[in-house]
Amino acid sequence: MSLGNRTILVVDDEPRTRQGIRQTLEVWAAGRYIVETADNGIDARDRLLQGRVHLLITDVRMPEVSGLDLIRSLKGEVRKPVIIVISGYAEFEYVQQALRLGAVNYLLKPLDKGELVQVVEAALKQEEEQQRHEKLEKLVDHKLMEIDPDTAGMGEPVKEALAYVEQHLHEQLTLAEVAGMIHLNASYFSVLFKEQTGVSFSEYLSRLRIQRAKELLLQTRLPIGEIGERVGYRTDKYFIKVFKSLEALSPSRYRQQMKDERSEIQ
């Protein structure tokens, strides 16, 4: 697992606590993680905006911008770090608020080094699972996942059509051609297909092609144009247009984005 570019940010206005956490984690990490510090919530927020932080460890009470304010400011961010909060025994109500705001765990002062490492390890495992889940979300098409040929409502003609499309995805398929293969009138087949799958034939074909294209983008180094051809598109331009309409980014950007995330979590 390559973790050298993953970052832990420690935020505490008490120098002794802040440096103590940093030193403990640097010894434990042995170069596997980057450990950074901030002595106030304002600098911490700036750092969080500058680049990816995977784990945030913050005191709940600090002057000007508290740890709670810092956590609240992350609301709505797409890629939030996992959060551990630090507090004194008399501040447990703040811990409860932090947990409601999304913190995954807490540490009470004075900190125990063994407990610190244990809690950090658990939080980083959770962060890694979140990363994998996010990646899976980008890879799978949920509408396709909902189409199950084994469901009771799926008739044989539509099952045959799904199987035929799977096997001939690289060809120039049309609704009329597939309808003819299963000996149905094209108009009737169109209605039947949407009724039993929940999507039109053309939408299904596009989604399946783009799903296959995503797999090829991740698993091979094939040029974009060749991938488009392999999933049934005659021109790069049209392939890119359909890909963007479903994924909101180009095939090359998708490949790069997924490659960047894979390098973080492998």
Side-chain angles (χ1 to χ4, degrees), residues 30-265:
R32 294 175 300 157
Y33 299 87
I34 299 165
V35 184
E36 298 180 7
T37 62
D39 60 11
N40 62 77
I42 296 170
D43 289 349
R45 180 59 182 154
D46 288 343
R47 172 60 188 86
L48 287 161
L49 291 171
Q50 286 167 15
R52 187 73 190 272
V53 170
H54 300 82
L55 171 60
L56 171 65
I57 303 173
T58 181
D59 194 354
V60 288
R61 291 191 71 181
M62 295 181 290
E64 295 184 72
V65 176
S66 69
L68 292 177
D69 293 332
L70 184 59
I71 296 169
R72 287 191 191 98
S73 74
L74 294 171
K75 187 177 180 182
E77 293 291 330
V78 177
R79 305 183 79 185
K80 292 188 287 189
V82 287
I83 302 164
I84 296 169
V85 292
I86 308 164
S87 80
Y89 282 99
E91 301 162 348
F92 199 70
E93 62 186 274
Y94 294 103
V95 171
Q96 290 175 317
Q97 288 182 55
L99 293 172
R100 283 196 291 269
L101 289 168
V104 299
N105 215 329
Y106 64 92
L107 292 161
L108 295 176
K109 296 179 181 178
L111 302 182
D112 176 85
K113 289 182 180 180
E115 184 185 12
L116 169 63
V117 168
Q118 189 176 28
V119 168
V120 164
E121 284 178 336
L124 286 166
K125 281 180 183 175
Q126 186 167 335
E127 191 272 339
E128 188 176 332
E129 285 305 310
Q130 284 179 196
Q131 288 280 340
R132 288 204 169 103
H133 181 72
E134 286 172 17
K135 185 179 174 185
L136 189 62
E137 285 290 309
K138 289 180 182 177
L139 183 60
V140 302
D141 185 315
H142 290 286
K143 279 199 175 181
L144 289 180
M145 296 282 283
E146 290 168 6
I147 299 170
D148 182 3
D150 295 326
T151 55
M154 188 80 71
E156 282 304 317
V158 173
K159 286 182 184 180
E160 285 180 37
L162 293 174
Y164 183 81
V165 170
E166 285 265 358
Q167 293 163 12
H168 298 82
L169 198 63
H170 59 288
E171 299 173 12
Q172 301 301 307
L173 296 171
T174 65
L175 182 144
E177 178 192 341
V178 176
M181 288 298 299
I182 55 175
H183 312 294
L184 287 180
N185 170 275
S187 298
Y188 175 67
F189 171 65
S190 177
V191 172
L192 191 68
F193 190 92
K194 186 162 187 180
E195 215 172 65
Q196 296 185 7
T197 65
V199 296
S200 68
F201 177 80
S202 61
E203 182 182 351
Y204 173 76
L205 185 57
S206 294
R207 286 184 176 277
L208 187 60
R209 282 176 166 161
I210 297 308
Q211 180 66 44
R212 287 286 173 79
K214 289 194 290 184
E215 292 165 10
L216 289 171
L217 285 165
L218 295 185
Q219 295 167 6
T220 75
R221 294 184 180 181
L222 291 170
I224 301 301
E226 188 172 338
I227 288 174
E229 285 179 20
R230 288 196 179 198
V231 298
Y233 292 103
R234 288 180 179 174
T235 67
D236 300 9
K237 189 175 179 182
Y238 189 59
F239 168 50
I240 292 167
K241 180 182 177 182
V242 177
F243 195 100
K244 276 186 172 180
S245 73
L246 289 174
E247 299 298 320
L249 73 173
S250 68
S252 56
R253 181 70 190 126
Y254 176 88
R255 173 182 262 170
Q256 186 59 50
Q257 196 176 90
M258 296 296 276
K259 181 183 174 185
D260 291 345
E261 290 179 7
R262 183 163 47 191
S263 69
E264 286 186 349
I265 65 172

